[in-house]
Amino acid sequence: MLGKPHACAALAAAARGEVLVFVDADVVLVPHAVAAAVALLRDRDRPLDLLCPWPRQVASGPLGRLVQPLLAWSWLTTLPLAVAERSGRGSMAVANGQFLLVEAAALARAGGWAAVSGAVLDDIGLARAVRAAGGRTGIADGSQVASCRMYATGAELRAGYRKSLWAAFGSPAGAVAVGAGLVLVYVLPALAALTGSRAGLLGYAAAVAGRVPAARWVTGPSGGGAVDALAHPVSVLALLGLLASSWAGRLRGTLSWKGRAL
């Protein structure tokens, strides 16, 4: 069992509450965050078995400002959240293990953290396991109650994404397909706009507009927010570079994290 699932499994075994709350060490919560999240988990109009209030990401440095907004942007752009929440399909599950609440009974039905013992993306894996056991999962805007500074430097960010990004799209073929789609939709229009293409300019403007809503989940000491959306094509290229590096490490067996081989 990998480190984080092992630790969470041990905590779940020791806990006695009906709702289990898991918070990463680099997450800062406001005083009422847990109470508010539990109330949302058990909302009588849309009760859930697993909930992830998405924390505000504190981005450091140019690479952080380019890449970190893509965490929220990815599901804001590709997933109709109301439909995904009602669906039981694992492929429509979204999760963020930085701040995660789960009904203890639902976790047990899903097989506990042992069900994702070897998963690099254990948060999404757990949400899928809960859904497979008949539970409901969802996400919420946690930007006002939680914040997380995942990486302090660009080097830390590269190492963090490299260790796990390969698992995001299932296979090398899937990664290539997603990468090609991102280039087609978000990079080529911007390049065309630079040559004076009106269609390219329209495509670039649409990409920037689609990125702006993610700004509420990202902030940083050097700025950030909606202005960074103007660099969205560069963000996509940075992400693809990290994806290629992650798959290269996966295929060569050279991935590591904090001095430990993966």
Side-chain angles (χ1 to χ4, degrees):
M1 183 178 289
L2 295 179
K4 182 175 179 179
H6 174 75
C8 290
L11 291 169
R16 294 294 180 265
E18 294 181 357
V19 176
L20 305 182
V21 182
F22 299 90
V23 185
D24 280 0
D26 49 9
V27 172
V28 178
L29 302 179
V30 301
H32 67 279
V34 172
V38 171
L40 189 57
L41 177 76
R42 292 186 160 181
D43 188 316
R44 68 177 65 185
D45 295 324
R46 49 159 245 172
L48 298 171
D49 295 287
L50 181 148
L51 172 69
C52 295
W54 203 281
R56 175 171 48 86
Q57 305 298 310
V58 180
S60 300
L63 188 58
R65 288 175 60 182
L66 284 172
V67 175
Q68 290 299 85
L70 300 182
L71 291 172
W73 169 82
S74 61
W75 51 262
L76 282 169
T77 302
T78 62
L79 203 62
L81 295 182
V83 175
E85 191 173 288
R86 291 192 297 269
S87 171
R89 298 180 62 177
S91 60
M92 298 189 76
V94 181
N96 186 338
Q98 294 172 347
F99 186 16
L100 183 152
L101 298 85
V102 61
E103 294 280 359
L107 181 64
R109 288 193 299 271
W113 284 95
V116 292
S117 60
V120 175
L121 300 177
D122 50 81
D123 45 9
I124 295 177
L126 188 67
R128 289 174 176 172
V130 168
R131 287 187 171 211
R136 297 185 65 209
T137 75
I139 60 174
D141 180 4
S143 61
Q144 300 303 308
V145 298
S147 63
C148 178
R149 185 177 183 179
M150 293 177 65
Y151 309 111
T153 65
E156 288 184 5
L157 185 147
R158 284 191 294 271
Y161 275 79
R162 189 172 187 268
K163 72 174 172 59
S164 58
L165 196 54
W166 64 269
F169 306 114
S171 68
V176 169
V178 171
L182 290 174
V183 169
L184 180 64
V185 176
Y186 298 108
V187 178
L188 292 184
L191 294 176
L194 292 176
T195 69
S197 168
R198 291 185 178 181
L201 182 59
L202 181 61
Y204 168 68
V208 171
R211 165 73 176 267
V212 168
R216 69 183 300 170
W217 281 280
V218 182
T219 189
S222 57
V227 175
D228 289 346
L230 296 172
H232 187 62
V234 182
S235 293
V236 169
L237 290 175
L239 178 67
L240 295 182
L242 292 169
L243 179 60
S245 177
S246 182
W247 264 111
R250 170 68 174 175
L251 296 175
R252 294 170 183 168
T254 59
L255 295 181
S256 63
W257 179 243
K258 296 184 177 179
R260 299 186 299 273
L262 295 178

